[in-house]
Amino acid sequence: MSFRVKDEAGTSTVFLSGEIDLERSPAARKTLLDTLARKQALVVDLRDVSYIDSSGIASLVEAYQKARTSNLAFTLAEVGPPVMRVLSLARLDRVFPIRVGG
Amino acid sequence: MSAAPKSRTPKPRARRAAEDHLDLVAELIEAFAGSEDLDATLAAALVRIAEALDADAAGLFLLDGDYGDPEAKLVCRACFGPIDVTGLELTATIGIPGRALQHNRTERVADTLRDPDFLAPATIGIDYDIRSMICAPLSHRDERYGVVEILNPQPEGRLFTARDAELLGLLATAAAIAIRNARLTAALLAQNRLRQELEMAAEVQRNLLPPTPEADAPVQGLNRPARGVSGDFYDVLRLADGRIAFALADVSGKGLNAALIMVKTATLFRSIGRRVHEPGLLLSRIEAELCETMAFGMFVTMVIGVYDPATHRVRLANAGHLPALKRNADGSFEEFPATDPPLGIQGRLENDRYRETAFSIEGGCLYLYTDGASEARDGDGVMIGADGIKALIQRHAGSPPGTRLTAIADALGDDVRDDLTLLVIEDSEAAAERVQPRGRRRGVADLVAQTIPAEAGQLKVVRRLVEAASREAGASVEWAQDLVLAVDEACQNIIRHGYGTAARAGAKLGEKIEFSIRRAPDGLEVELVDYAPKVAPEDCKGRALDDVKPGGLGTHLMHALTDLVQFRAPPKGAGNRLVLTKKLGLGRRDNKTDNDDKGSSDA
């Protein structure tokens, strides 16, 4: 199961969806890293993510670090309450550039 | 039948005497056999004998003391004739009656003037001058009960014949057998009465013991008296706040004295224990009461404890008793010996409390026993001691507590020389483990109990179960989400770090997680049992939060999202047992976040 990716001029958007847990975060990680290989700004749209755990967060962190070393913009978009909750518990809500959904 | 020809009356002559007075012999033997009041029967028989033998007077004397003892007396229990000598005491070794008794044979004195042993009644102040007399022993084989005598007065009384002597000897023998039977019956009656009284006392004692609960009830006791009554006791009181007070005691000595002290101690525990719930103080109060009436040299060893099922903790005070035995979940034992002397010796002040120890029995059992158990002997006659008891406990650990105690008591054998009393308190955790080990258990409080393969694909199953259980417990959506994430993270740790590390090292483990959810006081408790190598507790601390790197975050989330993360003693054969507890307090979630804000630096 893969995630939808939308490419626009200068920006790629990855739409993560469903439950990003230990089973599915490897796929999420691969999608994020593969998309970054296009050397475009990356937006991770989280509106359809109903659940994320530490392994999913780890995938986001890894992609963010990779984007920074590549000087690519990295933004979390449409962050809903379940994801926001975990980000704040992990003290990452002020690390990631976040575009709050709504 | 051995022929032992003694100086007894030869049979043919006795038979002739009997034939002469056949009616009388038959009548008296019948009267003796059917007698319910022996004294009255003997008195009536004496009159019939005196009449039949044409005697002026007759007396029946019973022996008081040992016949060879110069102090022994022959006491007149019945008499016939002109003077009433009932109650008269003769020295049992002198005179004609003394001779009959000592020689165990019938003595006839045809003419008293010619017998040097004869002592005239006048010498003991009785105004009766004897011319002729016969004195026959009341004896059965060598057992002597007294004598019977017939008398004729001076100067014209008939001289008794040898035939008269034979008849009296015969009747005396019948009377002696009647006396013997009566005494045996009386002894038997007394014995029966004593046994009945002991049975009643034992019944009273049994009623002081708590009723036997179901075999799987967590607190069980067993009492097997060595005799009818017991010097041991145990009791269990359920307190209003859910705690359970228990006691076990052993009174020094055996028999009725010990039983009475036991009844008093039991009554004191039950009455004072209703108000005083601190074991050390309770012991002092009982001691103060006991000392008032305790017989010199008696004492009571006693253990009192209070068990709280909610916290799994026990408070215990031990006054001179054998050590309490705690069996842990892993099968190891701990002993809690006496810290103070027994009750009834010192007479302490009322508020001078006995020392207490407090400890957890989580996942384990606490055993109390009396020396009837530890001093039981094995096949070689060696006392089994505490080690023997531990071995028995170990052997029957899988049975429900009630069945277990019975099995242990049975194994101690019928040859119990002392009262045997056992008490067990089984922690609810141990009960659940015993009922359904390996995580498949489903106790009353379990909302979920299931074994899952340790695979990433199973986590969504776990999450659904936690969510459903949270809803069932009345939690909010947010509360449920927090617990779901915490449990998910705990499972991930097991899969990735527990089994994962071992698998990379080449170990093949049964990769499964035994997963259960149950209600805890004010919340839920989620338990995860795995078979991976043991985790060192320091590896499970949360990471420093400014350390922004993947990994370690899971453990932090577990701590942040629950109230308690605890590694407990795993079931036998398992690697780890992790228990997450989350309380259902209002505003818990916000508080938790606030707490997390404190002391952590912004990145």
Side-chain angles (χ1 to χ4, degrees), chain A residues 60-76:
Chain A
L60 294 178
V61 169
E62 192 180 348
Y64 172 59
Q65 288 169 330
K66 176 113 182 183
R68 279 176 53 128
T69 53
S70 309
N71 268 322
L72 298 170
F74 181 96
T75 311
L76 300 184

Side-chain angles (χ1 to χ4, degrees), chain B residues 18-37:
Chain B
E19 280 161 5
D20 287 354
H21 293 277
L22 204 58
D23 289 351
L24 177 62
V25 172
E27 178 196 324
L28 291 188
I29 287 176
E30 196 180 338
F32 287 139
S35 171
E36 285 178 8
D37 180 352

Side-chain angles (χ1 to χ4, degrees), chain B residues 358-555:
Chain B
F359 50 89
S360 169
I361 60 165
E362 183 164 345
C365 291
L366 186 69
Y367 293 86
L368 302 177
Y369 59 94
T370 57
D371 49 16
S374 55
E375 291 176 6
R377 315 239 164 194
D378 64 13
D380 300 325
V382 179
M383 278 196 231
I384 65 162
D387 287 342
I389 293 173
K390 288 178 192 171
L392 285 174
I393 290 171
Q394 208 73 291
R395 193 188 308 162
H396 299 287
S399 315
T403 318
R404 194 183 316 154
L405 287 196
T406 308
I408 293 171
D410 289 347
L412 291 171
D414 298 330
D415 186 28
V416 173
R417 292 148 203 242
D418 202 349
D419 302 329
L420 169 67
T421 305
L422 302 169
L423 183 71
V424 60
I425 295 105
E426 182 177 71
D427 187 55
S428 54
E429 286 288 313
E433 205 59 54
R434 177 174 50 68
V435 172
Q436 260 181 310
R438 301 179 213 296
R440 285 186 309 279
R441 70 200 205 200
R442 186 182 287 275
V444 255
D446 280 354
L447 299 169
V448 173
Q450 174 159 333
T451 300
I452 57 163
E455 293 163 8
Q458 293 294 320
L459 292 173
K460 50 182 171 291
V461 177
V462 171
R463 293 197 296 268
R464 298 299 162 264
L465 290 170
V466 175
E467 193 180 1
S470 301
R471 293 281 172 76
E472 204 176 319
S476 67
V477 174
E478 289 80 12
W479 192 97
Q481 285 173 350
D482 284 359
L483 185 61
V484 163
L485 181 55
V487 174
D488 188 326
E489 297 295 345
C491 289
Q492 286 186 50
N493 273 351
I494 294 170
I495 295 169
R496 295 167 64 192
H497 304 303
Y499 290 121
T501 309
R504 282 190 290 281
K508 272 208 174 279
L509 300 160
E511 299 199 357
K512 60 184 176 182
I513 299 172
E514 290 164 4
F515 166 67
S516 55
I517 307 174
R518 57 185 163 263
R519 288 182 198 278
D522 186 35
L524 287 182
E525 211 174 76
V526 182
E527 180 180 290
L528 301 167
V529 173
D530 67 55
Y531 292 79
K534 275 195 179 10
V535 175
E538 56 269 23
D539 294 346
C540 313
K541 304 248 160 63
R543 64 166 174 141
L545 280 175
D546 47 0
D547 181 11
V548 186
K549 63 167 190 187
L553 176 60
T555 304

Side-chain angles (χ1 to χ4, degrees), chain A residues 19 23 51 53-54 85, chain B residues 464 482 488-489 492 589:
Chain A
E19 300 184 317
E23 186 183 19
Y51 176 84
D53 70 2
S54 63
R85 165 90 178 134
Chain B
R464 298 299 162 264
D482 284 359
D488 188 326
E489 297 295 345
Q492 286 186 50
R589 180 173 183 160

